[in-house]
Amino acid sequence: MGKAHSNAWKKAPEFFEMSTRPVLNVACGRHETSLKEFADKWGWEETETDWKKMVKRPDIDIIDIAVPQNLHYEIALAAAKEGKHIFCEKPMCMNLTQAKEMLKACEENKVTHYLNHNYRRNPAVALAKQMIDEGLLGNLFHWRGAYQQDWIVNADFPLTWQLKKEIAQAGPQWDLNSHSVDLAHYLVGDIQTVSCLTANFIKERPLAEEATSGNLKAEAKGTGKGAVTVEDAALMMVRFKSGAIGSFEATRFATGRRNHNTFEIYGSRGSLLFDQERMNELQFYSHDDPEGRQGFKTILATDPSHPFMKNWWPSGHNIGYEHSFVHAVVDFIKAIEEGKTIAPNFEDGVKIIKVLEAGIKSAETGQMVVLE
Amino acid sequence: MGKAHSNAWKKAPEFFEMSTRPVLNVACGRHETSLKEFADKWGWEETETDWKKMVKRPDIDIIDIAVPQNLHYEIALAAAKEGKHIFCEKPMCMNLTQAKEMLKACEENKVTHYLNHNYRRNPAVALAKQMIDEGLLGNLFHWRGAYQQDWIVNADFPLTWQLKKEIAQAGPQWDLNSHSVDLAHYLVGDIQTVSCLTANFIKERPLAEEATSGNLKAEAKGTGKGAVTVEDAALMMVRFKSGAIGSFEATRFATGRRNHNTFEIYGSRGSLLFDQERMNELQFYSHDDPEGRQGFKTILATDPSHPFMKNWWPSGHNIGYEHSFVHAVVDFIKAIEEGKTIAPNFEDGVKIIKVLEAGIKSAETGQMVVLE
Amino acid sequence: MGKAHSNAWKKAPEFFEMSTRPVLNVACGRHETSLKEFADKWGWEETETDWKKMVKRPDIDIIDIAVPQNLHYEIALAAAKEGKHIFCEKPMCMNLTQAKEMLKACEENKVTHYLNHNYRRNPAVALAKQMIDEGLLGNLFHWRGAYQQDWIVNADFPLTWQLKKEIAQAGPQWDLNSHSVDLAHYLVGDIQTVSCLTANFIKERPLAEEATSGNLKAEAKGTGKGAVTVEDAALMMVRFKSGAIGSFEATRFATGRRNHNTFEIYGSRGSLLFDQERMNELQFYSHDDPEGRQGFKTILATDPSHPFMKNWWPSGHNIGYEHSFVHAVVDFIKAIEEGKTIAPNFEDGVKIIKVLEAGIKSAETGQMVVLE
Amino acid sequence: MGKAHSNAWKKAPEFFEMSTRPVLNVACGRHETSLKEFADKWGWEETETDWKKMVKRPDIDIIDIAVPQNLHYEIALAAAKEGKHIFCEKPMCMNLTQAKEMLKACEENKVTHYLNHNYRRNPAVALAKQMIDEGLLGNLFHWRGAYQQDWIVNADFPLTWQLKKEIAQAGPQWDLNSHSVDLAHYLVGDIQTVSCLTANFIKERPLAEEATSGNLKAEAKGTGKGAVTVEDAALMMVRFKSGAIGSFEATRFATGRRNHNTFEIYGSRGSLLFDQERMNELQFYSHDDPEGRQGFKTILATDPSHPFMKNWWPSGHNIGYEHSFVHAVVDFIKAIEEGKTIAPNFEDGVKIIKVLEAGIKSAETGQMVVLE
């Protein structure tokens, strides 16, 4: 994530017009050697191993929180108190109580807060939002989302921090469904009821020596065994306030699905399909098309008229995963400059965590949870 | 359905080796004129408007039940008592009590019973079964099924019998999820728990003058309004006895989906994807493939080595919807000849209805139902 | 082909309204035993091993020619002289001289002639024609066709009749490009210039004992070796009279392509894509769509409004390879009844053979051929 | 192109290990104001409007040529004489004579030369090369390439420099087929014969006021009319030295195709399909797969084991168009450091131009050209 964020801060002013150019001031991390290396590579001016010192520096305006979720709460609170604007990775935090306090701290200290559900700023997804807002889908009936990965299908994959409740709080319900619920809120609306079912397919895994940097998934090596304390997969069924219904499927056991973040939205006038593995495409069905000429149309969302795209390449030239981070930086800086909010933010985060927590509760009781 | 069944009885012995050739003896229906026309067209030797008389005829060995589900119970019971073998359309009947009695009657009278969940005999689906049985998917983790249609999205579509509880018992939960649950039983195994959510998007519709024959969907015309008494969409989450989990989505409001019967199955060694709108294809991912060479492979299931296909056309020449009915006739006749059972049958039907009923109950209570 | 034709004659009046119902009168073939078996299976009333006798029978109105192309000329001439209407398999014959005589004989004897380039009556292809005629593609710029198969990739596949010039005249140039050129004529227009390149990848093959019936491809077995005397692949580049340009690729060496008959047509207002392996689909791009909403749309050509489809199944229910033969029978019988021509016929066949022959000549000389 | 190149020089050392870090020393361009703006944005240290001065500066090691092709020759020659290494955009130059001299100048001056046919360094394409080299395709039979765009379909699109022979030399034959021929050389081998057909669909266009910077395509505005002096589309058929045959289709009139650079390669053991609009995917068919389990497999080339990918994001996270430029920079710098050649270079360029020129000649004469 350090890589994706550093890249975004640097590329934003190269590809977009920005009146304020972000400065890569201080890189913060626990391990001095690897931190220095990272900072050198990416052009961070200084390094710091104590985040508490960093948030107090008067020469810093923005804190970018890109650490595991168990640390978000503490850092965000401290940063907000120091009047720093916050760019925060997802999932937001460990529970609803934390989320509400984080939001409150930002509001009280009048800082700009952004929660990095980056897929909203994928051009094809932003296009979906435009089309829904224009009414091209009519009344929405269905959300059908799935966020499927397969990185822990092998039983000898080690017990990394993502599989431990004390650090991660939950498995794909937190990591993946947070993204999907954000998109559902963004595109369909608020959720009213939640039913959830979870599964744990592999209950024990080799212990991992936590790597100090880099890709934990690849480098971790097992020594002994320990219990997996988060779920491996989480399904949800929801009813939206609008009357639409939705389903969610988040899993790390969908063999063959590397990062298959998909949704289908069906409405009275049309439908949309999206798949992050073909992230430059959006499929659109229009019920308004003449009889016999109807079908799902694959829009390659790389035209200059598509959101964010006139700043990149000519039509038909794809962008990649990291570009949505650049878009987030552009909008975040603009929000700070103009003193406006940016979405998704901690208010959206509170709503997401509420749904995810309700899901965990429903999975435990077998009962549908009605959100207040 | 009369068309699809008549066609199947006739084509079966033309394309397949059969020691017994079915005779199209008596066509039965309520409306004499249209019945005669139909019988002439398809070469039925005689017609009959009273099914009670027909099931007693000694010159008939098989009763093919292709009427709305509220009539299945009565006809099947009478046919079984007369020692007729039964080829029965789905959904099997109105409730679990009926289903159990239908099964019992067939067993007591030692007749062959077949429940026409025809998709099992789609070559690509039969291939999926083969591959799972060979162990190519390993331990199964996920079933993700959806059966999506869009034929009642328009609010002025009339209140046909499929939308009335007294005839149809339920909406897509009965009509579509019965198919999906059958496939899940077939491919993944028995279901242990069921949670369900339903929705009704359009609560009143123009009254239909029930057409006397042909495609009700197209011909019905509204006069006045009446209440829709079945659900428009039904979602389910299930836990299988094996520990796998599954989701189902059945709807008539997925705009753009004409007959989108799909499933995804993920296992420890591989995965399969199917979509009835591309019914000649099966997608397969093998975790055993070498690193860097992995991906979903589209098998065009039209090779002579694929189930049922050596009797049709050369490789690469597609078959259509009706061919699975032909395959069912071939296997049904063979089962009768050999005195063996054929699947799916009323025993499978009992299990399906049990799941569907549990779903309806769960939708009412918001609580997960554990099947005995 | 006997199977596909017999099936078509029988199914046509079951699925379509026809005032004349075809009678399966006499099945003709060389091998009495297998012929009888075939006739029994399909309900042919009589059999005949001498086609010269058959064409003279006064009780026969139609001759259906479904034998290798080296026999078409002689049979068609005899049949025409006897006043029989002709339903003729493709490729039409061995050369342009034959083709012109066949046409002349039919015209002089005023018989209806039909050349079975069946893909025209695939609903998705007929829809393409409709859309082009409606002007939805504007002025056409490009035809890009490919008909790719892979049934002789293995070097031990035997030397069946399709690989011998004396029976087949040519390889995929005749067998496959005849289909593609027919579609190009139908959808784009007449061809003016032809450049062609052919290749022969495997020059000798095991001799085949010609099987007397059934699927030669599967059953033939090699004994000794013989020379392949037709090309294995044929590429063409053409200029149409309209100014559009086109390319053709016909091969039996496209490993993985079972029956991949595809085309792309690009015009000033829109474009169409078709692939016979997904024969129920047509892709359409409309340049008239609003900016940012453009893309290729997959039309599932199974709606009642699509050509031929209201006689089959509800929307979303696929048809297969053989259905286009049924449509041909329906239109052929109608043409006879009404005394009108049907297309494609021998006139179209003459034009096709002219292009194919020009291609063979161009391949020999390396020079573009301008058609008169 | 300035954007894509600047980005590549900067990103390369951030994402890859490089012992030499490129310095963005001098940006060169004709228009001082826009040049300064560009240099500021991208962090170029200095600017220069006279390229002749720039190539003589002793503090510069590399010249990156990203101007229209009519200027490549002169700049490359001057740069080579000064001992500068050359990173040159495609198409290489205006004709074979220039190409040969450019190569000679580099060889004599012992400078590293790279010709930016960037698609070779698209991970999915590099994977294709690996797989072919491993023998997974066996003997190659067919190359079927198409590079289709649609940016000049509208008749009111102005006469930009790309449509003028004096600057561009040719149309898609130069611009697009140069890429395709490079890929065919890379993946299949050398070409022996060339037949070509070109078309010009719109012969006159509004004059463009050439914009001084930015996207010409979008900004140019018409005043009066002028003749289009390059072809709009170019088809080629070739025979490779190996005996394989190939087809090429390059056009700016494939309505709906934004940047549809595709190829199909068929061999005796397997086949590969690629489409730049889905640039992270490679389709692979293996004839070695067991019977009944064969099909085209979509490899999402984003795994760490795929070429270049371990330096980017986790599996399933796409990269975009510009990433191949970064890969080129990494390999180019390494080649300079190690004193080795990099491909494609001017030697490859000479071979490409030879094919393209032969194509133009063949299109004029209607005759196949045999390359020496």
Side-chain angles (χ1 to χ4, degrees), chain A residues 114-241:
Chain A
Y114 166 70
L115 181 62
N116 190 32
H117 285 294
N118 60 301
Y119 294 119
R120 284 201 191 193
R121 282 179 173 78
N122 183 321
V125 174
L127 175 62
K129 174 65 172 169
Q130 272 184 9
M131 294 171 76
I132 291 170
D133 286 351
E134 283 171 24
L136 292 178
L137 265 65
N139 299 322
L140 304 185
F141 300 132
H142 286 286
W143 161 273
R144 185 170 187 246
Y147 200 145
Q148 300 164 314
Q149 299 182 334
D150 68 354
W151 53 283
I152 60 171
V153 163
N154 288 347
D156 55 2
F157 183 90
L159 193 67
T160 57
W161 68 263
Q162 291 96 336
L163 309 184
K164 295 178 184 170
K165 185 170 164 48
E166 65 271 25
I167 306 180
Q169 179 63 10
Q173 173 75 353
W174 231 246
D175 184 18
L176 307 181
N177 265 341
S178 61
H179 271 312
S180 299
V181 168
D182 178 61
L183 289 180
H185 281 158
Y186 179 54
L187 297 169
V188 179
D190 287 353
I191 288 170
Q192 189 158 47
T193 74
V194 180
S195 306
C196 182
L197 183 74
T198 61
N200 189 243
F201 301 117
I202 295 179
K203 309 207 189 297
E204 270 202 332
R205 289 182 177 275
L207 293 176
E209 304 177 52
E210 292 292 341
T212 55
S213 72
N215 188 347
L216 275 176
K217 295 172 190 175
E219 294 177 18
K221 274 173 199 157
T223 56
K225 284 236 178 184
V228 174
T229 48
V230 301
E231 83 287 352
D232 287 330
L235 312 183
M236 292 199 290
M237 301 184 305
V238 310
R239 196 180 306 275
F240 291 88
K241 285 185 181 158

Side-chain angles (χ1 to χ4, degrees), chain A residues 4 10 14 18 45 57 130 134 165 182 190 235 240 242-243 260 270 276 284 290 292 344 352:
Chain A
K10 291 184 80 173
E14 290 167 354
M18 295 175 73
E45 295 174 0
R57 287 177 64 140
Q130 272 184 9
E134 283 171 24
K165 185 170 164 48
D182 178 61
D190 287 353
L235 312 183
F240 291 88
S242 66
H260 200 240
Q276 174 68 19
F284 172 48
I352 294 165

Side-chain angles (χ1 to χ4, degrees), chain B residues 170-276:
Chain B
Q173 173 75 351
W174 231 246
D175 184 17
L176 306 181
N177 266 340
S178 61
H179 271 312
S180 299
V181 168
D182 178 61
L183 290 179
H185 281 158
Y186 179 53
L187 297 169
V188 179
D190 286 353
I191 287 170
Q192 190 159 46
T193 74
V194 180
S195 305
C196 182
L197 182 74
T198 60
N200 188 243
F201 301 117
I202 295 178
K203 308 205 189 299
E204 271 202 332
R205 289 182 178 275
L207 293 176
E209 303 177 53
E210 292 293 340
T212 55
S213 72
N215 188 348
L216 276 176
K217 294 173 190 173
E219 294 178 16
K221 275 173 198 155
T223 56
K225 285 236 177 183
V228 173
T229 49
V230 301
E231 82 288 350
D232 287 329
L235 312 184
M236 291 199 291
M237 300 184 306
V238 309
R239 197 180 305 274
F240 291 89
K241 285 185 182 161
S242 65
I245 58 176
S247 69
F248 295 83
E249 178 139 4
T251 180
R252 293 162 174 169
F253 278 76
T255 307
R257 301 301 200 183
R258 295 297 192 259
N259 193 43
H260 200 241
N261 179 8
T262 70
F263 60 77
E264 310 171 18
I265 302 176
Y266 300 100
S268 58
R269 283 189 61 201
S271 307
L272 290 170
L273 312 177
F274 174 75
D275 168 3
Q276 173 69 19

Side-chain angles (χ1 to χ4, degrees), chain D residues 71-356:
Chain D
L71 303 172
H72 289 195
Y73 169 70
E74 200 181 358
I75 299 176
L77 247 60
K81 265 178 217 160
E82 299 294 333
K84 311 303 188 200
H85 305 296
I86 299 174
F87 188 106
C88 184
E89 254 312 314
K90 47 61 59 180
M92 184 173 170
C93 53
M94 301 293 272
N95 52 55
L96 186 56
T97 313
Q98 285 188 352
K100 284 179 174 170
E101 283 189 54
M102 286 164 75
L103 171 59
K104 200 179 150 206
C106 287
E107 286 178 341
E108 285 177 357
N109 293 285
K110 297 200 167 63
V111 302
T112 299
H113 42 106
Y114 167 71
L115 181 62
N116 190 32
H117 285 294
N118 60 301
Y119 294 120
R120 284 203 192 191
R121 283 179 173 79
N122 183 320
V125 173
L127 175 63
K129 174 66 172 166
Q130 271 184 9
M131 293 170 76
I132 290 169
D133 286 351
E134 283 171 24
L136 292 178
L137 265 64
N139 299 323
L140 304 186
F141 301 129
H142 286 285
W143 161 273
R144 184 171 189 245
Y147 200 145
Q148 301 163 314
Q149 298 182 335
D150 68 353
W151 53 283
I152 60 170
V153 163
N154 288 347
D156 55 1
F157 183 91
L159 193 67
T160 57
W161 69 263
Q162 293 97 336
L163 308 183
K164 295 176 183 170
K165 186 170 164 49
E166 65 272 24
I167 306 180
Q169 178 63 11
Q173 173 75 350
W174 231 247
D175 184 19
L176 307 181
N177 265 340
S178 61
H179 271 311
S180 299
V181 169
D182 178 63
L183 290 179
H185 281 159
Y186 179 54
L187 297 169
V188 179
D190 286 354
I191 287 170
Q192 190 159 47
T193 74
V194 180
S195 307
C196 182
L197 183 75
T198 61
N200 188 244
F201 302 117
I202 294 178
K203 307 203 191 299
E204 272 203 330
R205 289 182 177 276
L207 294 176
E209 304 177 51
E210 292 292 339
T212 55
S213 72
N215 188 348
L216 275 176
K217 295 172 190 175
E219 293 178 18
K221 273 174 199 156
T223 57
K225 284 234 177 185
V228 174
T229 48
V230 301
E231 83 287 352
D232 287 330
L235 311 184
M236 291 198 291
M237 300 185 306
V238 309
R239 196 180 307 274
F240 292 88
K241 285 183 182 159
S242 66
I245 58 175
S247 68
F248 294 83
E249 180 141 2
T251 181
R252 294 162 173 168
F253 278 75
T255 308
R257 300 302 200 183
R258 296 298 193 258
N259 193 42
H260 199 241
N261 179 8
T262 69
F263 61 76
E264 309 172 18
I265 302 175
Y266 300 101
S268 59
R269 284 188 61 201
S271 307
L272 290 171
L273 313 176
F274 174 74
D275 168 2
Q276 173 68 20
E277 288 179 358
R278 287 182 173 165
M279 56 169 280
N280 291 271
E281 300 179 7
L282 180 69
Q283 289 192 62
F284 172 48
Y285 177 94
S286 175
H287 197 54
D288 299 339
D289 280 349
E291 209 184 318
R293 304 290 182 265
Q294 300 171 330
F296 281 92
K297 177 197 290 183
T298 302
I299 301 173
L300 187 59
T302 60
D303 285 347
S305 63
H306 292 128
F308 305 107
M309 288 308 295
K310 74 172 195 297
N311 289 74
W312 296 103
W313 315 109
S315 289
H317 292 70
N318 289 4
I319 60 165
Y321 164 69
E322 73 265 37
H323 294 65
S324 60
F325 290 75
V326 178
H327 305 157
V329 161
V330 173
D331 288 351
F332 177 65
I333 295 293
K334 207 178 162 204
I336 294 173
E337 286 175 344
E338 301 182 354
K340 294 191 180 152
T341 57
I342 173 174
N345 56 31
F346 286 170
E347 204 176 336
D348 300 291
V350 165
K351 283 164 59 178
I352 295 165
I353 297 283
K354 199 179 283 186
V355 171
L356 302 182

Side-chain angles (χ1 to χ4, degrees), chain B residues 106-230:
Chain B
C106 287
E107 286 178 341
E108 285 176 357
N109 293 285
K110 297 199 168 62
V111 302
T112 299
H113 41 106
Y114 167 70
L115 181 62
N116 190 32
H117 285 293
N118 60 301
Y119 294 119
R120 283 201 191 193
R121 283 179 173 79
N122 184 319
V125 174
L127 175 63
K129 174 65 172 168
Q130 271 184 9
M131 293 171 76
I132 291 169
D133 286 352
E134 283 171 24
L136 292 178
L137 266 64
N139 299 323
L140 304 185
F141 300 131
H142 287 284
W143 161 274
R144 185 170 187 245
Y147 201 145
Q148 300 164 313
Q149 299 182 333
D150 69 352
W151 53 283
I152 60 171
V153 162
N154 289 346
D156 55 1
F157 184 90
L159 193 67
T160 57
W161 68 264
Q162 292 96 335
L163 308 183
K164 296 176 182 171
K165 187 170 164 49
E166 65 272 23
I167 305 179
Q169 179 63 13
Q173 173 75 351
W174 231 246
D175 184 17
L176 306 181
N177 266 340
S178 61
H179 271 312
S180 299
V181 168
D182 178 61
L183 290 179
H185 281 158
Y186 179 53
L187 297 169
V188 179
D190 286 353
I191 287 170
Q192 190 159 46
T193 74
V194 180
S195 305
C196 182
L197 182 74
T198 60
N200 188 243
F201 301 117
I202 295 178
K203 308 205 189 299
E204 271 202 332
R205 289 182 178 275
L207 293 176
E209 303 177 53
E210 292 293 340
T212 55
S213 72
N215 188 348
L216 276 176
K217 294 173 190 173
E219 294 178 16
K221 275 173 198 155
T223 56
K225 285 236 177 183
V228 173
T229 49
V230 301

